[in-house]
Amino acid sequence: MSKVVFVPLPPEEFRDSIYSVVGGAIAGGAPTPSWVAIDDGTDSWVAEVLSRPAAHRARSVIAAACDEALVKAHRLGIGGALRLPPSSLGAIEAFTAADSTEAPVSTDAAALELLEQSASAVVVSFCDRQFWRAQIGDRAMVESLFSLASALGVPATVVGWPALVVAGRDEAEIAERWEEISPVGDGVRLVVSRLPKMEGAAGSGALESVYETLLENRPAMGSTAAGQPRPVHELPHGRRVGWWNVHREPSPEEDGWLATPLEITPSRCSWRLEGAGEGGEIAEVLSGEGAEGAGDVVALRIPGWAARSLRPGNPAGLLASRIAESAARRGLPLWIPGVDQEGLRFVLGLPGTIWVDGPAVPD
């Protein structure tokens, strides 16, 4: 086991079993992860993980005893996950998932110094930012802004919020490029604000100016025009059953319900479902226990950020499996948002009634 680093060391009660399973998986050809974090009932592994670079986290694995550890691992960008007590198949899937996970792109406030002398710099952020942080997560928001920067082809950098600072492009050009490339769907709207000229400012002064502009110009939730309602389909037959939208708008079809967010928190929100002879609340849950105790609801939903990149052997995949099992036991549909083509193959293997939206479903 000298090839594998455990953080922290596994507790004695399952140390021999995890050493045997991990060693057997690697001996059988599974890729070796950067390290294996052990959910030992404390958060000591979280402190260790936070001290390590994002690229190392992406190649690491969490050995999780509970759903809460899977949620934390997903937020921290850990690439693979296996359940405790460990199994050989679980270890192989986790190590394979970690080996194929790309490290997230990082924001770069220092690059603002390259834009200081520009009188035409603007800062680009998300309308309904609180909602999109809860539904697609900061990593997806950052990646989409980097895609926009690349499409614009001028000096630009992304800072934490997240927001894009770009020189030499006006609001109309930015909106046009975003409409062409938006990797997070056409329901996402941007707000563009002019920055004061940062001539002679140090890097920290430039960053302060960016955040002051963001705070002064952030639109209130619901004050921007709604995007087009997005379809929701039911698996395995693929029939469209409804729609969702950021704001409450009429459903585009009389035969489909519409879901809109009710109460939004940084990690999840509740949804109102109405129309087509149906009505009630959809609860977002982050654990099997949460699904069991969600109360009187018409469906359950995984928050969009927690459903990103569903794959066998990664934290999102293991978490979705647990929640789907609980939803099936209750006889409730489970709505999984933002599903891509590779994730669709995974979702088709889940039990119960599954609703999906995202790149894998037709408009």
Side-chain angles (χ1 to χ4, degrees):
M1 292 307 302
S2 59
K3 291 183 178 180
V4 180
V5 177
F6 292 89
V7 181
L9 288 176
E12 288 187 7
E13 58 265 29
F14 59 80
R15 186 173 299 169
D16 289 344
S17 63
I18 196 165
Y19 282 176
S20 175
V21 166
V22 168
I26 293 172
T32 303
S34 298
W35 32 270
V36 177
I38 303 295
D39 173 22
D40 61 357
T42 73
D43 274 346
S44 60
W45 68 273
V46 175
E48 292 276 3
V49 167
L50 285 171
S51 68
R52 297 172 185 252
H56 289 189
R57 297 182 201 173
R59 296 289 188 269
S60 67
V61 167
I62 177 69
C66 66
D67 293 348
E68 183 181 1
L70 292 172
V71 172
K72 292 176 180 177
H74 186 55
R75 279 196 175 280
L76 291 168
I78 291 180
L82 60 94
R83 281 268 175 202
L84 292 176
S87 68
S88 296
L89 177 59
I92 292 169
E93 288 185 339
F95 295 174
T96 302
D99 187 59
S100 61
T101 301
E102 295 183 4
V105 295
S106 59
T107 58
D108 186 7
L112 283 174
E113 296 177 13
L114 302 176
L115 304 173
E116 287 173 8
Q117 303 304 317
S118 173
S120 60
V122 296
V123 59
V124 182
S125 57
F126 288 77
C127 295
D128 301 322
R129 169 174 168 262
Q130 185 181 15
F131 172 79
W132 291 114
R133 290 189 74 197
Q135 293 312 311
I136 65 174
D138 282 334
R139 276 184 293 178
M141 294 167 79
V142 167
E143 289 166 3
S144 68
L145 290 175
F146 271 107
S147 296
L148 176 59
S150 178
L152 290 169
V154 291
T157 188
V158 176
V159 298
W161 181 272
L164 174 71
V165 183
V166 60
R169 291 289 183 267
D170 60 25
E171 184 172 358
E173 292 173 293
I174 291 168
E176 182 180 353
R177 289 292 175 270
W178 180 251
E179 187 175 346
E180 292 172 357
I181 64 97
S182 175
V184 287
D186 62 12
V188 184
R189 298 288 184 261
L190 300 178
V191 57
V192 181
S193 305
R194 181 71 56 186
L195 280 171
K197 190 172 182 181
M198 297 178 285
E199 189 171 359
S204 59
L207 186 60
E208 181 178 334
S209 178
V210 168
Y211 284 125
E212 286 177 351
T213 301
L214 286 166
L215 288 168
E216 290 171 0
N217 293 280
R218 55 181 174 175
M221 177 68 185
S223 63
T224 55
Q228 291 297 316
R230 309 300 297 168
V232 180
H233 291 237
E234 185 173 297
L235 299 179
H237 48 67
R239 177 175 58 90
R240 192 190 68 240
V241 291
W243 309 80
W244 72 270
N245 203 350
V246 182
H247 308 299
R248 192 175 181 182
E249 298 286 342
S251 174
E253 300 272 348
E254 291 184 358
D255 60 349
W257 46 256
L258 179 72
T260 52
L262 279 170
E263 182 181 358
I264 302 170
T265 73
S267 63
R268 71 187 92 182
C269 69
S270 58
W271 292 73
R272 173 197 299 111
L273 183 150
E274 54 190 345
E278 298 188 55
E281 185 174 324
I282 300 172
E284 288 194 343
V285 295
L286 283 168
S287 67
E289 293 81 3
E292 297 283 359
D296 185 18
V297 294
V298 296
L300 300 170
R301 188 180 193 269
I302 300 177
W305 65 265
R308 298 279 302 177
S309 302
L310 289 170
R311 306 290 187 267
N314 72 5
L318 264 66
L319 187 64
S321 296
R322 283 271 294 154
I323 295 172
E325 290 167 1
S326 296
R329 280 195 294 270
R330 292 193 59 185
L332 291 174
L334 175 63
W335 178 4
I336 304 179
V339 177
D340 58 20
Q341 288 295 336
E342 191 171 350
L344 181 61
R345 290 191 287 272
F346 174 82
V347 171
L348 284 167
L350 296 178
T353 299
I354 305 293
W355 296 344
V356 295
D357 68 68
V361 303
D363 291 336

